[in-house]
């Protein structure tokens, strides 16, 4: 890939679109760069390219018209690669992977939205790099491409001229970051205010996923313990108590958890308690009540667990997820 160009000429952004693409993966980057162009006197040109220059049908059924065929889209300053709604890994679509590789070869930088990271990975663009993707598919990306260091909780990751981002709306985050690199934080902040989004979103992806999605297991020793922990997260689930309940040694139980679930008993219990605390906060409980009912015990423990796993505070989490209602603001009277 060549270096990003400098100078007064417009920065050319090309968003690749194809049949089955997620609509918001395409729309979000278009909106960010088009808005930034208004605030910078037309410093961005934003175009949609499709494999053959024909209209494509998105995952929602909405059709998008192409500005140009991919064959004419070489030399973009920024190439944006969205995800496929159905073929998440781009398996069976070598044509798209080859197209991404060819377009990226002439681009100054490349940004993937959501599962577009799989197309970049298949094209060899993430080899030896750090990357992220939608939380639900991060483990799959790491498994299919062990030469990539997958950061599962990140909203976006930049490694050199290649950027990857989390699910769907994270396309806004990664494109805002690119605008900030090009024109500074003031312009990026103006774009964020225009779109009514965070300039830098608090927390990571895990606040939007189910924290306790441990792999399922039917192991005769573990299954009853997991069910008991899920039924009563606040119960006494110390390692010695769990081992006694399962009639095995603490060391053997720890080995079983590690082998079957990829975690320790204490970490598993904490994840279930965190999930319970989140539920209580979403239902309107205060921080102290959520800490007590979930088994985390104290406000301070709850804050530490939230900071470690979610990168935010319990009160900030509750404010963001408990309701979508906007509190009424005092009326502003016109000055006479």
């Amino acid at each position: 890939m060549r270096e990003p160009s400098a100078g007064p000429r417009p920065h050319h952004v090309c968003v690749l679109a194809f049949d089955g693409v997620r609509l918001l993966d395409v729309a979000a980057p278009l909106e960010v760069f088009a808005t930034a162009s208004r605030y910078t006197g037309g410093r961005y040109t934003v175009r949609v390219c499709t494999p053959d220059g024909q209209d494509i049908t998105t995952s929602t059924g909405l059709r998008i018209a192409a500005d140009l065929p991919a064959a004419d889209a070489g030399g973009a300053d920024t190439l944006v690669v969205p995800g496929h709604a159905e073929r998440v890994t781009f398996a069976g679509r070598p044509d798209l992977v080859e197209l991404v590789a060819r377009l990226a070869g002439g681009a100054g930088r490349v940004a993937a939205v959501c599962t577009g990271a799989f197309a970049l990975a298949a094209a060899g663009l993430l080899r030896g790099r750090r990357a992220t993707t939608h939380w639900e598919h991060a483990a799959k990306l790491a498994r299919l491409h062990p030469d990539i260091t997958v950061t599962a909780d990140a909203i976006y990751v930049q490694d050199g001229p290649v950027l990857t981002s989390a699910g769907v709306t994270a396309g806004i985050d990664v494109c805002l970051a690119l605008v900030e690199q090009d024109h500074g934080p003031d312009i990026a902040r103006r774009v964020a205010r225009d779109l009514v989004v965070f300039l830098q979103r608090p927390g990571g992806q895990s606040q939007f996923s189910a924290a306790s999605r441990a792999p399922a297991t039917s192991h005769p020793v573990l299954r009853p313990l997991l069910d008991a922990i899920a039924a009563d997260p606040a119960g006494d689930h110390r390692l010695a108590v769990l081992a006694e309940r399962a009639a095995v040694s603490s060391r053997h139980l720890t080995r079983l958890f590690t082998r079957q679930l990829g975690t320790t008993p204490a970490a598993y219990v904490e994840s279930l308690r965190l999930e319970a605390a989140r539920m209580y906060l979403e239902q309107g409980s205060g921080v102290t009540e959520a800490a007590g009912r979930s088994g985390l015990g104290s406000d301070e423990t709850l804050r530490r667990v939230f900071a470690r796993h979610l990168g935010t505070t319990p009160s900030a989490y509750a404010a963001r997820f408990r309701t979508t209602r906007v509190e009424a603001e005092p009326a502003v009277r016109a000055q006479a």
Side-chain angles (χ1 to χ4, degrees):
M1 283 182 285
R2 61 180 174 78
E3 291 298 315
S5 59
R9 73 171 181 81
H11 182 108
H12 298 300
V13 178
C14 180
V15 180
L16 177 64
F18 42 83
D19 284 330
V21 70
R22 296 195 71 158
L23 173 61
L24 197 53
D25 284 11
V26 175
L30 293 177
E31 196 67 55
V32 170
F33 286 115
T35 303
S37 191
R38 293 202 303 271
Y39 287 125
T40 57
R43 292 295 298 277
Y44 289 104
T45 61
V46 191
R47 298 184 294 177
V48 174
C49 76
T50 63
D52 56 4
Q54 300 299 309
D55 295 359
I56 59 93
T57 303
T58 69
S59 58
T60 67
L62 182 70
R63 294 187 67 78
I64 292 180
D67 293 311
L68 72 168
D72 298 336
D77 294 297
T78 297
L79 171 68
V80 179
V81 180
H84 197 294
E86 298 296 332
R87 299 184 181 182
V88 170
T89 66
F90 287 78
R93 291 304 309 266
D95 56 323
L96 287 178
V97 172
E98 181 182 350
L99 182 57
V100 167
R102 187 166 72 250
L103 292 174
R109 62 191 180 194
V110 181
V113 181
C114 194
T115 56
F118 283 89
L120 268 57
L125 301 173
L126 296 179
R127 189 173 297 118
R129 299 185 186 273
R130 294 172 57 249
T132 192
T133 189
H134 191 290
W135 61 265
E136 190 173 15
H137 304 296
K140 184 181 296 182
L141 180 64
R143 186 172 64 253
L144 292 177
H145 302 279
D147 53 352
I148 300 172
T149 301
V150 178
T151 307
D153 194 43
I155 297 296
Y156 73 88
V157 169
Q158 179 167 9
D159 191 329
V162 183
L163 299 92
T164 50
S165 60
V168 194
T169 59
I172 295 176
D173 299 81
V174 71
C175 291
L176 281 173
L178 292 175
V179 169
E180 183 174 2
Q181 289 177 20
D182 294 339
H183 298 288
D186 289 341
I187 292 296
R189 193 173 296 112
R190 291 178 70 182
V191 175
R193 283 200 300 263
D194 186 290
L195 300 179
V196 197
V197 295
F198 289 111
L199 178 58
Q200 185 175 35
R201 193 189 313 211
Q205 287 195 70
S206 55
Q207 62 187 302
F208 302 100
S209 65
S212 58
R213 293 179 184 271
T217 178
S218 57
H219 193 282
V221 173
L222 290 184
R223 188 70 262 164
L225 293 181
L226 302 186
D227 292 342
I229 296 168
D232 182 21
D236 187 353
H237 302 308
R238 290 171 296 169
L239 176 58
V241 174
L242 292 174
E244 182 179 359
R245 193 180 303 162
V248 297
S249 69
S250 296
R251 180 177 297 180
H252 182 60
L253 185 62
T254 299
R255 283 199 297 266
L256 286 177
F257 264 83
T258 302
R259 188 181 309 130
Q260 295 287 321
L261 304 177
T263 188
T264 65
Y268 183 83
V269 171
E270 182 176 89
S271 72
L272 267 291
R273 287 175 173 169
L274 172 60
E275 190 73 10
R278 290 170 58 178
M279 180 187 69
Y280 292 133
L281 289 171
E282 291 168 13
Q283 292 174 350
S285 294
V287 172
T288 300
E289 181 183 3
R293 294 179 66 187
S294 66
L296 289 171
S298 68
D299 294 14
E300 181 57 33
T301 299
L302 184 60
R303 278 191 288 269
R304 286 201 305 268
V305 171
F306 262 69
R308 184 165 64 252
H309 291 279
L310 305 182
T312 188
T313 65
S315 56
Y317 179 91
R320 200 176 311 125
F321 288 87
R322 185 170 57 238
T323 179
T324 58
R325 292 175 297 177
V326 177
E327 296 297 326
E329 295 285 342
V332 178
R333 296 182 181 277
Q335 298 295 317

